[in-house]
Amino acid sequence: TLKRLAANDEVVMLLFDAGVVPTTLSLIAWCTGPHSFQFQPRLCRSACSLLWQTACSDGPKESIINDGTTLLGDVVRRYPKHAGVLEQAVGALGAATLRQPALAESAASMGAFETCADALKAAPEKEWVCRQACLAGSNMVRRSDECKSRAHAANLEELVRSARARHPKSCKDVGTAFLRDLGIEDYKN
């Protein structure tokens, strides 16, 4: 599969230059369409997984954020009962904003924090969805005051605290990091 090919920066950039990001985003857009035959959770999960893998390289991140942030929110709203899809969608968002404060601000302005909140609300019992949503939020707020205010507006603090309490093994570290980076004084509690 393409995901297996996207194993290092050189290969990712070859795939990026060949148009893997717009092609993958087109496939994801099709999977979020209104018709019942377009409801394809396995296909959407695989496409989001490829997008996530591609976002691990810095080259494609801007394209993924600019062209995919709103679409990833559509995925979370279209597939709320499919934890694997949710995990891959918010994972892609988190990877694309890692160490990229300007892209994090762009993503935030396009509803990225609301997407994280929607994923946390849709699957509070699914620890890996919660972990990826906490990571994505932490990546975005880490170096941006604008993102911190948008995260507060999306009411993520309460959702992250809940995820951290519900899944201490998988969410305590990332939830605590998110709260710390958000500037919460009692972030350890």
Side-chain angles (χ1 to χ4, degrees):
T1 65
L2 282 175
K3 181 182 179 230
R4 289 187 181 146
L5 287 175
N8 64 48
D9 280 347
E10 183 179 344
V11 173
V12 168
M13 290 313 296
L14 285 170
L15 291 169
F16 178 63
D17 291 341
V20 74
V21 171
T23 302
T24 304
L25 291 172
S26 292
L27 184 58
I28 293 170
W30 183 85
C31 289
T32 60
H35 304 292
S36 61
F37 66 85
Q38 291 174 298
F39 188 79
Q40 300 287 332
R42 290 178 66 196
L43 180 60
C44 191
R45 178 184 178 169
S46 294
C48 288
S49 178
L50 175 59
L51 197 64
W52 184 355
Q53 185 68 31
T54 305
C56 290
S57 178
D58 285 344
K61 288 183 179 194
E62 185 174 359
S63 178
I64 291 169
I65 291 301
N66 291 339
D67 301 330
T69 299
T70 302
L71 194 54
L72 291 169
D74 294 343
V75 166
V76 169
R77 287 183 289 283
R78 175 82 156 123
Y79 296 94
K81 297 189 184 311
H82 295 271
V85 177
L86 299 177
E87 178 187 350
Q88 299 301 313
V90 294
L93 191 58
T97 56
L98 181 62
R99 296 182 310 275
Q100 302 289 329
L103 292 179
E105 289 172 1
S106 293
S109 72
M110 292 183 266
F113 288 114
E114 290 78 5
T115 296
C116 292
D118 289 344
L120 288 166
K121 290 175 193 172
E125 73 288 352
K126 302 296 185 183
E127 66 181 305
W128 299 111
V129 172
C130 293
R131 181 173 177 81
Q132 291 308 320
C134 290
L135 270 171
S138 183
N139 289 350
M140 288 185 279
V141 300
R142 188 163 293 129
R143 295 180 177 102
S144 170
D145 290 335
E146 178 186 333
C147 285
K148 290 174 185 172
S149 65
R150 288 184 183 270
H152 282 295
N155 297 315
L156 273 180
E157 180 183 350
E158 180 181 328
L159 293 167
V160 168
R161 284 186 187 277
S162 177
R164 191 176 63 167
R166 185 181 286 232
H167 308 291
K169 287 185 178 180
S170 56
C171 294
K172 184 174 183 180
D173 59 342
V174 294
T176 300
F178 170 79
L179 295 171
R180 179 198 64 225
D181 295 339
L182 190 58
I184 305 299
E185 286 188 29
D186 67 334
Y187 66 90
K188 290 183 180 181
N189 295 326

